Amino acid sequence: MIPKTHPRYESLLLRDKVKNAFKEGYLADSGMIAHGRGETFDYLIGEKTTETAKEACRAAVATIFLAENPVLSVNGNTTALAIDEIIELAKATDSKIEINLFYRTEERVEIISRMFKERGWDNILGGNDEKLEYIDNLNSPRATASKEGSYTADVMLVPLEDGDRAEVLVQNGKKIIAIDLNPLSRTAKMSTITIVDNVVRCVPLMTEIALEFKKEGKDKDKEFLESIVADFSNEENLKKSLAAIKLE
């Protein structure tokens, strides 16, 4: 049991979730390494959501609202850290959720599918019982794609992903929103919008922004949404994100 008085309580809680996900069989061992790598960059930005990340979140939500078929792609890490938050974001933005794993096994897919269904999200895409398509020019198990979801999606959120998939999806005409704490990564550079933040912070923030847009009726205001997207530059976003890293 982690005492709440521990100065690293929140960080240790996330580590515990990742460790348990591995023990429960739906997270690959390399997923623990990926979490540690991300945690390092989180230290460097002060473990908080920067103003730059908030701007990227607004652009991301606007892009999702403008989409015809938005899909939130989830893997083992995302499921372990933010399953409930992903479901809330999907509800707030009328998005689909699809499983996509680099180390794909029937067991891992089945466990993740069950976890979403236990939380009331019945239409989880990318499952074992679905006839999957495959993304051209992607030579890994992550080439799997639901025809209803990522195969035909125009906008995709790919939290905690890898660069080759982001690059190929962009080449296939999709707008890719990445969540990546490393602004120097291939994923960050190849994506349309990169949110340099911890998934446990930015996904709830995106839901908050989406609900705010809906309350104001701006989720249907195409001109308003397009203006937010037009004002966003991922190149500038990554430069500002790098500047936010504290090395002293």
Side-chain angles (χ1 to χ4, degrees):
M1 175 139 179
I2 304 169
K4 290 187 177 181
T5 54
H6 194 288
R8 299 295 306 154
Y9 175 75
E10 294 297 333
S11 177
L12 291 174
L13 200 64
L14 296 183
R15 290 185 200 174
D16 205 47
K17 286 183 177 182
V18 170
K19 178 192 70 178
N20 289 337
F22 173 69
K23 286 184 176 180
E24 290 164 19
Y26 68 91
L27 180 71
D29 51 6
S30 61
M32 293 189 287
I33 297 172
H35 178 76
R37 184 170 62 240
E39 190 177 62
T40 300
F41 281 93
D42 208 8
Y43 290 162
L44 295 175
I45 61 172
E47 296 179 293
K48 62 183 180 181
T49 302
T50 65
E51 290 303 316
T52 301
K54 291 177 184 178
E55 291 175 10
C57 284
R58 280 178 61 83
V61 172
T63 300
I64 292 172
F65 275 136
L66 286 167
E68 292 184 7
N69 185 22
V71 172
L72 313 183
S73 178
V74 297
N75 60 9
N77 288 72
T78 311
T79 301
L81 296 173
I83 183 171
D84 295 316
E85 292 79 3
I86 286 287
I87 290 172
E88 290 306 308
L89 178 60
K91 289 177 180 177
T93 57
D94 299 317
S95 299
K96 297 170 183 174
I97 302 176
E98 180 174 338
I99 300 169
N100 185 274
L101 306 176
F102 188 86
Y103 297 103
R104 184 183 177 98
T105 66
E106 288 190 6
E107 180 187 15
R108 288 193 180 113
V109 172
E110 181 57 37
I111 295 171
I112 293 172
S113 296
R114 185 173 67 248
M115 290 175 68
F116 274 93
K117 289 174 182 177
E118 286 172 349
R119 287 163 171 77
W121 192 268
D122 293 323
N123 190 29
I124 184 76
L125 303 178
N128 293 327
D129 57 349
E130 189 175 355
K131 184 178 179 180
L132 299 173
E133 302 288 343
Y134 292 87
I135 302 292
D136 291 338
N137 302 318
L138 188 56
N139 299 316
S140 81
R142 277 215 162 126
T144 59
S146 168
K147 191 170 183 179
E148 182 185 343
S150 61
Y151 196 73
T152 54
D154 51 345
V155 171
M156 290 180 62
L157 176 72
V158 288
L160 316 181
E161 287 286 335
D162 57 327
D164 63 333
R165 182 169 181 244
E167 181 177 10
V168 170
L169 290 172
V170 169
Q171 289 172 353
N172 275 267
K174 304 178 191 299
K175 293 180 180 177
I176 300 303
I177 301 162
I179 299 174
D180 195 330
L181 278 159
N182 178 6
L184 293 170
S185 75
R186 203 151 157 264
T187 304
K189 293 177 179 178
M190 294 299 172
S191 296
T192 313
I193 297 171
T194 302
I195 303 168
V196 181
D197 196 19
N198 194 315
V199 67
V200 302
R201 293 194 299 266
C202 67
V203 172
L205 176 58
M206 289 174 70
T207 300
E208 183 181 320
I209 293 168
L211 293 176
E212 177 188 326
F213 284 0
K214 280 188 168 181
K215 184 178 179 180
E216 298 172 355
K218 292 179 178 178
D219 58 313
K220 305 294 184 184
D221 186 339
K222 190 174 181 180
E223 186 176 343
F224 167 77
L225 297 171
E226 287 179 341
S227 68
I228 293 176
V229 176
D231 288 341
F232 180 83
S233 162
N234 203 45
E235 184 178 354
E236 288 302 311
N237 167 53
L238 293 178
K239 286 181 181 178
K240 290 179 182 178
S241 298
L242 275 170
I245 290 177
K246 301 172 183 177
L247 296 176
E248 68 274 3

